[in-house]
Amino acid sequence: MATKHDLTEWVIEGLNALGGEGNVAEIAQEIWERHEDDLRASGTLFYTWQYDMRWAGQNLQKAGKLTKLYRSWRLK
């Protein structure tokens, strides 16, 4: 079952698929396309995953792995 911790990896995976940079909606779409089944089977995470994805992005920024720009996120 997917957890909030998986979202960190999935954000990176989504950004890589987008060439290293994308806006939140594009990243969410990439995550959904790759992990829809995981999300549907994740219990309450299914209802919060887009919110939790933003927290994963914040944690990646604090770890120095991601830069948040005005309208997009970029891998470092």
Side-chain angles (χ1 to χ4, degrees), residues 13-75:
E13 179 183 85
L15 283 166
N16 280 324
L18 293 166
E21 183 176 336
N23 66 44
V24 172
E26 292 170 330
I27 298 164
Q29 183 176 357
E30 290 293 331
I31 290 171
W32 182 254
E33 288 174 359
R34 288 171 170 70
H35 299 286
E36 177 182 356
D37 293 339
D38 299 317
L39 290 165
R40 287 188 182 276
S42 67
T44 58
L45 181 64
F46 178 73
Y47 301 101
T48 63
W49 75 270
Q50 289 187 10
Y51 173 80
D52 296 325
M53 177 192 78
R54 288 171 172 79
W55 275 108
Q58 184 68 29
N59 291 335
L60 286 165
Q61 183 181 23
K62 286 179 183 177
K65 297 180 180 181
L66 179 142
T67 300
K68 288 186 177 181
L69 307 170
Y70 175 65
R71 293 186 181 247
S72 63
W73 297 355
R74 180 186 303 152
L75 290 176

